[in-house]
Amino acid sequence: MFSGLHDIGWSSMDHAYGSAEEVPGLLLALRSSDAEERREALSRFYGAVHHQGTVYECTTASLPFLFELAEDVTTPDRADVVELLVSIGSHALDRCDGRYGGSEAEVEAVAAMRGRAETLIGFAHDPDVRVRRAAIPGLGLFIDDVDRGLTVLRGRLSAEASIVEQLLIVEAMATLALRLPEHAEAQAMAWFTELAADSAVAPQTRLAAVVQRARCAPERMGADAIATAIGLLRELDGASVPAEAWCDPPGPVGSAVSGDGAPPQVVAAFEDLERHGQIHSPCTDLLRSFHRTLAAKVPQRTALLAEQLRSLDPGSRLDGIRMSAEVMESWRGDHTRLIMLVAEHLSSAAEQVSAEAAATLNACHAIAEPTREALAEHVAAQYAAHGPDVWFTSQPHLRRSHQEAVQALARLGDVRAVPSILRALDSGDDAWRAVQVVGALPQAADQLTPRLCAHLKSLDLTQALWEMSARSDLAALAALADNSAVGVITATLATAVPHELWSVACSALDALRALGPSAAPAVETIRSLITASDAHVRPAAVAALWAIVGDPDEVMRPLLDLLDDSIPFRISAAADVLAEIGPRAEEALPRLRGLLNHGYEWVQVPCAAALWEIGGDAEAPAVLDTLLQAWEQNPSTANHVVACLERMGPAARPALPQLRSELHHTQRRGRYNSIDNDERLQETSRTLVERLTTK
């Protein structure tokens, strides 16, 4: 085995982290009798040689040896090797079929996989079910002989007793039809239709036929497809598949990153990634594929999700809640029914389902107003059942359910979240989660501000671990804008500067800016930072100085210097302050006019907005032209553009066509394509259209 392995110039090739000279050792380790050594080798292969799906020259050069491993029945973990082979081939194929085509290594990888199609077919007939499961997706991707592919897939379906393998076979047939439509589509579509109507076939497999038929020809999907799918989902409640038949045991939550030395926010982010990657029903991937096919058909997707959320199986409901979040986060539409259906699961007896429902309402808080009372009742019920310490209970799903629900309630500005927030801040347990939302509760600032200040003072800013927490505290204090925090914020700034904690210094400056004239005790410290070397601190200091002192003469020179800077965010920050100054900043007009031709939309938009605030109607034509072009070229600027159009009043009337066009988009847009930004974008656009069309 591995003849010629060491004749290859591995050291002349690279992988994600440098020289590929370690590849022979990794390949040999995949045959080790030590399970831990094999696990580490496979992990390293994915992490370096096939990093995030990348196919390097060394990845392609590994394929013959990986095939040798997979073909040898004495190789341990053969299924993992087959899965790796199919992953390499599928990622290479995606790139080759993409807009820019594949690299030479990717083209060669696809050719190598297609050249071993018969070997893949053999793997799909292997006695080991895990090997078959890993190989079946490759049949649709790498068999070029259509008749051979159709015959193999039909034969495998009749031979496979397991639902999981049957679903993979139906999907592989669709993949083959989509890849070679002129030769395979008609036969595949006829097969799907026959399969979907066969009552002797398991409902999961019939559902797969419905979904894959729609995937192959979405334009031909009839109105009955949703109804058929819903009917089959109802049948599934009586045909559940044991988890051990389809689900690999999940790893421990948080295993992707060590808690030692990592900020809790980072640990939690990795936990969320792991959680998002888990599935709890064998039909989840299938239903996700159906939702992707349905795309902007939000009412149909809502009807499908409503049925998923009614399932008797907690795992199906859990995955249905996550799919509901994906719909609401990605697509516009009236989501009232869907978000209320999710809220009904707050009271689920399955704590993991309850936690996922609360997390979805938190993530979708911008449209979660209809669920306010359900959230408040859920939080109150948890208090009644588990006491005031439920925020930091040792039961992980209950803890998550309570914390997410409290955060969602707080983001709605509801004071019924305050007791749990205070408990978190007083105890210090997961206090960072409470800090994230306190800014939405200004009515409780008298209770929240002292605790935030105490927490901020307790942080050892000489330890990088607490830098993120300090910034969160400062952002919360900025949102609350309570004058009693001036002293602590100023002291934090004074500590951050000599330690060159520039990100903390910027957050402190932003908080002082939010406090305005009441932050006067910090003025001398702020003035000393106007010439700071850090790229971010200087514009933050100028902005804070203007907000506190309000003297254009003191900030005009540094603002003009920032306009002449080569760093885009410094120009944009200066333009934002100039817009606040307004007509008294007329000295900046010539430079702002020149910056309308800058090559970056995130410079053009703030400069155009400043030009309007300073020059008014006389600048309207140039401002409008710049704003609308930037919006067209970069939709992420939409919130800023529309905000300026709103301030322009009747002068913005030429923007009506673009405003109407914006409202016809079906996907979320605006900054980061987030729900909150998109909802504001839609609301402001509708208001503007109505206002500008009313005589």
Side-chain angles (χ1 to χ4, degrees), residues 426-448:
D426 288 340
S427 70
D429 284 288
D430 286 344
W432 65 273
R433 293 187 185 274
V435 171
Q436 287 182 329
V437 298
V438 297
L441 297 164
Q443 62 271 56
D446 59 329
Q447 300 177 77
L448 296 170

Side-chain angles (χ1 to χ4, degrees), residues 256-281:
V257 64
S258 169
D260 297 334
Q265 298 93 322
V266 173
V267 175
F270 275 94
E271 290 176 353
D272 285 341
L273 282 173
E274 289 182 2
R275 196 179 288 116
H276 186 74
Q278 295 173 0
I279 61 171
H280 303 84
S281 166

Side-chain angles (χ1 to χ4, degrees), residues 343-385:
E344 289 177 7
H345 290 77
L346 289 170
S347 57
S348 173
E351 288 182 350
Q352 195 171 357
V353 173
S354 171
E356 200 61 42
T360 294
L361 298 181
N362 188 16
C364 301
H365 64 271
I367 57 173
E369 178 60 37
T371 71
R372 180 191 291 264
E373 293 308 314
L375 283 164
E377 290 171 10
H378 179 59
V379 169
Q382 290 178 321
Y383 249 75

Side-chain angles (χ1 to χ4, degrees), residues 135-488:
I136 288 168
L139 303 183
L141 294 168
F142 304 116
I143 296 178
D144 282 337
D145 183 335
V146 171
D147 291 336
R148 175 79 167 128
L150 294 169
T151 301
V152 167
L153 289 168
R154 288 195 189 101
R156 286 316 307 158
L157 187 73
S158 61
E160 287 287 357
S162 168
I163 292 297
V164 177
E165 281 66 62
Q166 289 185 14
L167 299 185
L168 290 172
I169 290 164
V170 177
E171 181 181 9
M173 181 70 84
T175 301
L176 183 67
L178 287 166
R179 187 166 63 85
L180 303 168
E182 293 182 4
H183 305 286
E185 183 179 334
Q187 296 180 67
M189 292 293 283
W191 188 61
F192 293 145
T193 301
E194 176 187 341
L195 203 57
D198 189 347
S199 59
V201 173
Q204 294 95 335
T205 306
R206 290 158 59 201
L207 177 62
V210 172
V211 170
Q212 300 301 344
R213 182 175 59 192
R215 179 182 163 216
C216 286
E219 72 286 352
R220 286 185 268 158
M221 182 171 55
D224 62 330
I226 299 295
T228 302
I230 288 173
L232 289 166
L233 284 174
R234 290 174 182 166
E235 285 190 46
L236 291 181
D237 276 335
S240 60
V241 180
E244 57 269 20
W246 59 270
C247 182
D248 291 331
V253 173
S255 61
V257 64
S258 169
D260 297 334
Q265 298 93 322
V266 173
V267 175
F270 275 94
E271 290 176 353
D272 285 341
L273 282 173
E274 289 182 2
R275 196 179 288 116
H276 186 74
Q278 295 173 0
I279 61 171
H280 303 84
S281 166
C283 287
T284 292
D285 284 341
L286 175 66
L287 289 166
R288 281 205 171 117
S289 179
F290 200 17
H291 281 290
R292 284 193 293 271
T293 298
L294 291 168
K297 297 179 179 179
V298 170
Q300 292 91 329
R301 296 180 73 176
T302 300
L304 184 64
L305 285 164
E307 196 60 41
Q308 292 176 241
L309 295 175
R310 291 190 189 103
S311 172
L312 299 178
D313 173 40
S316 297
R317 296 200 303 275
L318 181 61
D319 290 342
I321 290 170
R322 290 181 181 167
M323 286 183 230
S324 299
E326 290 165 7
V327 170
M328 292 186 286
E329 289 173 340
S330 301
W331 299 91
R332 294 174 173 178
D334 183 356
H335 295 301
T336 304
R337 179 191 178 200
L338 186 53
I339 205 163
M340 291 300 292
L341 285 170
V342 170
E344 289 177 7
H345 290 77
L346 289 170
S347 57
S348 173
E351 288 182 350
Q352 195 171 357
V353 173
S354 171
E356 200 61 42
T360 294
L361 298 181
N362 188 16
C364 301
H365 64 271
I367 57 173
E369 178 60 37
T371 71
R372 180 191 291 264
E373 293 308 314
L375 283 164
E377 290 171 10
H378 179 59
V379 169
Q382 290 178 321
Y383 249 75
H386 303 284
D389 293 343
V390 64
W391 176 273
F392 45 86
T393 177
S394 60
Q395 301 175 54
H397 297 312
L398 174 60
R399 183 183 186 120
R400 181 170 178 247
S401 174
H402 183 73
Q403 291 182 356
E404 295 280 3
V406 167
Q407 285 185 304
L409 197 58
R411 292 187 202 277
L412 293 172
D414 197 306
V415 294
R416 287 174 286 188
V418 171
S420 286
I421 297 292
L422 297 178
R423 192 74 182 127
L425 295 175
D426 288 340
S427 70
D429 284 288
D430 286 344
W432 65 273
R433 293 187 185 274
V435 171
Q436 287 182 329
V437 298
V438 297
L441 297 164
Q443 62 271 56
D446 59 329
Q447 300 177 77
L448 296 170
T449 300
R451 288 171 167 86
L452 284 171
C453 289
H455 186 257
L456 182 58
K457 285 196 293 185
S458 73
L459 300 178
D460 181 2
L461 293 183
T462 64
Q463 302 293 319
L465 173 66
W466 301 113
E467 189 170 339
M468 192 177 292
S469 293
R471 294 179 62 192
S472 296
D473 287 347
L474 290 163
L477 289 170
L480 291 174
D482 187 329
N483 295 341
S484 66
V486 169
V488 172

Side-chain angles (χ1 to χ4, degrees), residues 660-678:
R660 292 192 179 104
S661 175
E662 175 60 45
L663 293 172
H664 283 99
H665 285 282
T666 54
Q667 287 185 284
R668 296 283 186 194
R669 283 163 57 92
R671 193 79 188 270
Y672 308 122
N673 295 336
S674 65
I675 292 185
D676 50 349
N677 286 333
D678 181 66

